[in-house]
């Protein structure tokens, strides 16, 4: 008796090892991998920037007082906070002082920083040592710098007035106690603090300019001043944009330096939007008004951030 074996035909449902991969799944994997790397940064931005920003905007439309921390009640009051802040004469003064302080600081920091960057772009003995020493004001905490300069600029016992008195130039200048001198003094101190940042960034930009351009300009008979205008400044334009925009965004909201030097005085002569936010929120405990001024600062910074991104995109094209 013979037994015959019948082989069943292969089923179409069985998986085939040589089957082509699903194109949709193949595209999905790298996309998920990219989002996996981006997700922590997005989550961080939402938690530490997005949420506080939204809360600050909401708070500007609420009657938010110390009682709110205990009761949790912060009734909406419409635009009352905004109207009261904008109608306050101190807000106008603070806005003007902020513009003067920011413009004066940026102008002084940039001009002196560029001059030092051009100076150190040459090779000479102790170049690196001197550049390192100039970085010291940038490394010192802002509050420490403010306290030290407050002692230096003291009208009666300050080192600066004592030195000027020794030279016979008058040693009783009220650097920080006169409404006409206080803002200028704060600007000068901030210039001293910001020079190293400008010098370092601009020095790095100068190092990237090809030396062949200067050699070609020299062969064409261009003077050093002409070479600076025709070669250095155009090649340094992207770096200058970065320095000025980042400098603006860090200067317009300065608080600790002014608090350490003058605390917004005398007679509100150095009151800026940053100090006004602090005064409304933590001195007068009017958190709604403080949120309004803070939102104005955020709006100003956002405008210049957009300018910075557009400038970079234009340079990239």
């Amino acid at each position: 008796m013979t037994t015959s074996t019948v082989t069943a035909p292969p089923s179409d449902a069985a998986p085939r090892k040589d089957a082509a991969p699903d194109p949709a799944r193949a595209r999905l994997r790298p996309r998920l991998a990219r989002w996996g790397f981006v997700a922590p940064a997005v989550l961080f931005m939402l938690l530490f920037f997005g949420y506080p920003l939204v809360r600050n905007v909401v708070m500007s439309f609420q009657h938010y007082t110390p009682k709110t921390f205990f009761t949790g009640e912060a009734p909406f009051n419409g635009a009352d906070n905004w109207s009261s802040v904008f109608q306050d004469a101190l807000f106008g003064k603070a806005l003007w002082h902020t513009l003067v302080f920011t413009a004066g600081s940026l102008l002084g920091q940039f001009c002196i920083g560029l001059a030092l960057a051009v100076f150190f772009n040459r090779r000479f003995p102790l170049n690196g040592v001197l550049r390192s020493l100039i970085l010291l004001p940038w490394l010192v905490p802002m509050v420490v710098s403010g306290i030290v300069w407050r002692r230096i600029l003291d009208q009666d016992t300050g080192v600066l007035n004592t030195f000027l008195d020794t030279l016979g130039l008058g040693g009783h200048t009220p650097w920080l106690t006169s409404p006409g001198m206080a803002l200028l003094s704060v600007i000068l101190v901030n210039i001293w603090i910001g020079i190293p940042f400008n010098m370092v960034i601009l020095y790095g930009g100068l190092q990237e300019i090809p030396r062949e351009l200067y050699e070609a300009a020299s062969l064409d008979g261009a003077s050093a001043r002409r070479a600076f205008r025709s070669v250095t400044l155009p090649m340094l334009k992207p770096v200058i944009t970065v320095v000025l925009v980042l400098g603006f965004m860090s200067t317009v909201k300065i608080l600790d330096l002014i608090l350490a030097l003058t605390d917004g005085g005398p007679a509100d002569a150095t009151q800026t939007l940053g100090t006004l936010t602090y005064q409304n929120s933590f001195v007068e405990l009017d958190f709604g008004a403080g949120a309004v001024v803070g939102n104005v600062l955020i709006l100003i910074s956002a405008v210049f951030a957009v300018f910075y991104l557009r400038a970079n995109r234009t340079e990239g094209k």
Side-chain angles (χ1 to χ4, degrees):
M1 182 176 180
T2 59
T3 304
S4 60
T5 305
V6 179
T7 305
S11 175
D12 294 339
R16 303 177 62 182
K17 295 183 178 180
D18 57 345
D22 186 4
R25 182 178 298 179
R27 290 194 300 268
L28 182 61
R29 287 178 179 176
R31 189 175 302 173
L32 290 176
R34 288 194 295 268
W35 275 107
F37 285 107
V38 173
V42 173
L43 182 62
F44 176 85
M45 294 291 291
L46 290 176
L47 287 178
F48 295 98
F49 290 93
Y51 175 73
L53 178 60
V54 172
R55 285 294 301 129
N56 197 65
V57 173
V58 173
M59 190 184 299
S60 66
F61 295 97
Q62 293 177 315
H63 182 63
Y64 209 100
T65 63
K67 184 179 178 181
T68 305
F69 292 100
F70 300 97
T71 63
E73 298 177 358
F76 282 86
N77 58 3
D80 290 349
N81 292 331
W82 292 82
S83 61
S84 63
V85 168
F86 289 155
Q87 292 174 7
D88 187 2
L90 184 57
F91 175 79
K93 291 178 61 177
L95 179 60
W96 171 248
H97 294 159
T98 301
L99 296 177
V100 173
F101 173 77
T102 304
S105 297
L106 288 182
L107 182 62
Q109 293 172 359
F110 175 76
C111 292
I112 300 176
L114 179 60
L116 289 174
V118 173
F119 175 75
F120 284 111
N121 198 36
R122 303 173 301 159
R123 291 187 176 182
F124 59 88
L126 300 179
N127 185 311
V129 175
L130 293 177
R131 276 191 289 119
S132 301
L133 292 176
I134 291 179
L135 288 177
L136 290 178
W138 194 26
L139 302 176
V140 177
M142 191 81 74
V143 174
V144 176
S145 298
I147 294 173
V148 171
W149 274 101
R150 186 167 185 169
R151 297 294 300 273
I152 293 174
L153 299 176
D154 188 86
Q155 181 177 357
D156 300 320
T157 61
V159 175
L160 182 57
N161 275 345
T162 302
F163 177 71
L164 293 176
D165 190 35
T166 304
L167 297 179
L169 299 177
H172 303 284
T173 304
W175 299 102
L176 299 176
T177 56
S178 169
M181 291 290 300
L183 184 59
L184 175 61
S185 301
V186 173
I187 291 174
L188 293 177
V189 173
N190 192 50
I191 289 174
W192 176 82
I193 293 173
I195 286 174
F197 170 78
N198 286 258
M199 186 200 72
V200 168
I201 304 300
L202 294 171
Y203 176 80
L206 289 174
Q207 293 291 302
E208 296 298 323
I209 300 178
R211 299 296 174 185
E212 293 80 4
L213 296 179
Y214 293 104
E215 295 175 359
S218 178
L219 292 176
D220 289 341
S223 62
R225 183 177 300 179
R226 179 63 183 274
F228 179 79
R229 293 199 310 266
S230 303
V231 177
T232 304
L233 289 181
M235 296 296 295
L236 209 58
K237 186 178 178 181
V239 181
I240 292 175
T241 302
V242 172
V243 167
L244 291 180
V245 175
L246 294 183
F248 175 89
M249 295 178 67
S250 63
T251 302
V252 73
K253 58 183 178 60
I254 278 184
L255 169 66
D256 42 5
L257 177 65
I258 299 177
L259 289 181
L261 284 171
T262 62
D263 197 20
D268 296 322
T270 57
Q271 197 78 259
T272 62
L273 293 181
T275 60
L276 185 59
T277 303
Y278 173 83
Q279 178 176 316
N280 286 339
S281 299
F282 300 106
V283 178
E284 300 178 1
L285 301 179
D286 189 353
F287 298 103
V292 171
V293 183
N295 287 329
V296 173
L297 268 176
I298 293 172
L299 181 61
I300 294 174
S301 299
V303 169
F304 275 82
V306 172
F307 167 77
Y308 166 66
L309 294 175
R310 289 178 62 87
N312 273 1
R313 186 171 59 184
T314 303
E315 292 295 336
K317 293 179 181 180

